[in-house]
Amino acid sequence: MAHTMVKLTATVCAAALSVAVLGGCMPQQQTSAASQAQSDNRAYMTQVNQTMEALQTRLNGFSDAVSRGDVVTMRTQADNAFKALDELDSQEAPDALKDVKQCYIDGSEQLENALNAYIELYTEIDSATDTQPFDWSTYDQRIADIQAAYNSGLEKLQEGDKTAADLPQ
């Protein structure tokens, strides 16, 4: 009987120890998964920030070309900016940042459309002749439309930033 009690006590102790060990592992796995998710989110946002810095540099080149009225360089700089926007679109977002990425994609498309419209406008102005002059009566409205599209794209990018900042840590 004493021997049976020792076995029973040992079995109960072993079971209790097993539960304690398994219980101790579970929160660490959950913490590890949460930590990995946070790490993935930070890595994605770091990539986005680097891409945005590259975009800003390329847009500065575009602005310089505009100030000189150099349509060829505008196209080159816009194409360079489009590469940054394509890079932004191709970056893989963690599940928690899918909505953020969609804001960035939408904003990128609007910026791309605005830059293309701007180049198209200046190409028309540059290629105007005496026999086929540019219709200056549409200029102000076209510039306003382009600026609105550009601003809308920037707002969408900012919305993505705000959405990312509002996510729980």
Side-chain angles (χ1 to χ4, degrees):
M1 177 88 165
H3 186 40
T4 305
M5 282 302 273
V6 171
K7 281 185 175 184
L8 181 60
T9 303
T11 303
V12 170
C13 286
L17 184 60
S18 295
V19 168
V21 168
L22 289 176
C25 291
M26 295 306 269
Q28 289 175 349
Q29 289 174 348
Q30 290 173 350
T31 302
S32 178
S35 178
Q36 182 62 44
Q38 288 176 346
S39 178
D40 291 346
N41 292 349
R42 280 191 300 274
Y44 175 72
M45 292 308 297
T46 298
Q47 287 178 331
V48 167
N49 287 332
Q50 290 169 344
T51 302
M52 288 300 172
E53 287 175 12
L55 176 63
Q56 183 60 47
T57 300
R58 293 169 185 179
L59 288 176
N60 288 341
F62 181 83
S63 294
D64 289 344
V66 168
S67 68
R68 293 189 315 272
D70 184 351
V71 177
V72 173
T73 304
M74 278 185 224
R75 170 51 58 200
T76 301
Q77 293 302 321
D79 287 343
N80 287 337
F82 297 160
K83 289 176 187 172
L85 295 174
D86 291 344
E87 186 177 312
L88 183 65
D89 292 350
S90 70
Q91 293 169 349
E92 190 62 36
D95 288 338
L97 297 175
K98 295 290 184 188
D99 291 340
V100 171
K101 181 178 179 178
Q102 190 59 51
C103 287
Y104 292 148
I105 289 171
D106 294 345
S108 295
E109 288 173 359
Q110 291 174 335
L111 285 178
E112 199 167 319
N113 291 338
L115 291 175
N116 279 325
Y118 201 82
I119 292 167
E120 181 181 316
L121 173 63
Y122 272 82
T123 300
E124 287 179 33
I125 292 169
D126 193 47
S127 63
T129 63
D130 290 338
T131 57
Q132 292 185 339
F134 178 75
D135 181 8
W136 287 99
S137 67
T138 64
Y139 179 81
D140 289 339
Q141 184 59 51
R142 288 176 71 182
I143 285 290
D145 293 344
I146 292 167
Q147 188 64 52
Y150 186 83
N151 290 343
S152 178
L154 289 179
E155 288 170 7
K156 206 63 170 160
L157 294 175
Q158 291 170 344
E159 180 184 328
D161 289 344
K162 183 178 178 343
T163 302
D166 290 345
L167 289 174
Q169 298 295 325

